[in-house]
Amino acid sequence: MTTETPFEEIAADLNRSLVELQERLAQRTTHGPVCGDAADRAEQAAEAELEDLAARHDERALDQVERALARIARGEHGRCERCDGPIPLGRLRAFPRATMCLDCVTTTEGER
């Protein structure tokens, strides 16, 4: 039986994610010269674009993980960084890097 608090469990999940994301970003390769015929160049460009998109996704996720860990360290995790309302524990367990409640996430996305 575990004696960890929910936030210790969440921090452990976040730390595992932190290491995984850092390793993935460190293993990313730069794109070599584009060569071959038009079809080869188009395929290489598409692969490079997908790789860049994946890297940007990982960078955003890493930023979220770091922010969530900092909030745990300050004793602020579980409070929405926008409205200061509570973030339900179920949301934090499902998405440990959450820093906003669902209402604020929905409002923020609607403003885009």
Side-chain angles (χ1 to χ4, degrees):
M1 179 134 128
T2 182
T3 59
E4 287 184 332
T5 68
F7 287 118
E8 289 172 325
E9 293 171 18
I10 290 168
D13 287 342
L14 288 166
N15 279 309
R16 282 189 292 275
S17 293
L18 180 77
V19 170
E20 179 184 312
L21 288 163
Q22 288 172 330
E23 287 174 355
R24 264 201 322 244
L25 285 166
Q27 292 173 0
R28 297 241 185 254
T29 59
T30 57
H31 310 295
V34 177
C35 56
D37 63 16
D40 290 338
R41 290 189 306 273
E43 183 178 349
Q44 290 168 8
E47 288 174 2
E49 188 173 337
L50 286 174
E51 182 67 23
D52 289 344
L53 181 63
R56 285 193 306 271
H57 176 270
D58 286 349
E59 288 166 356
R60 281 192 306 272
L62 181 62
D63 178 60
Q64 290 173 340
V65 167
E66 290 171 340
R67 284 179 30 217
L69 286 168
R71 291 176 60 78
I72 288 173
R74 292 190 308 265
E76 299 171 357
H77 203 52
R79 307 293 307 171
C80 178
E81 67 182 8
R82 187 167 186 204
C83 74
D84 200 40
I87 300 173
L89 188 55
R91 173 166 167 68
L92 292 172
R93 283 188 170 138
F95 188 64
R97 58 186 199 235
T99 59
M100 290 195 293
C101 66
L102 286 177
D103 288 340
C104 287
V105 168
T106 303
T107 302
T108 302
E109 288 179 357
E111 294 171 356
R112 290 182 190 176

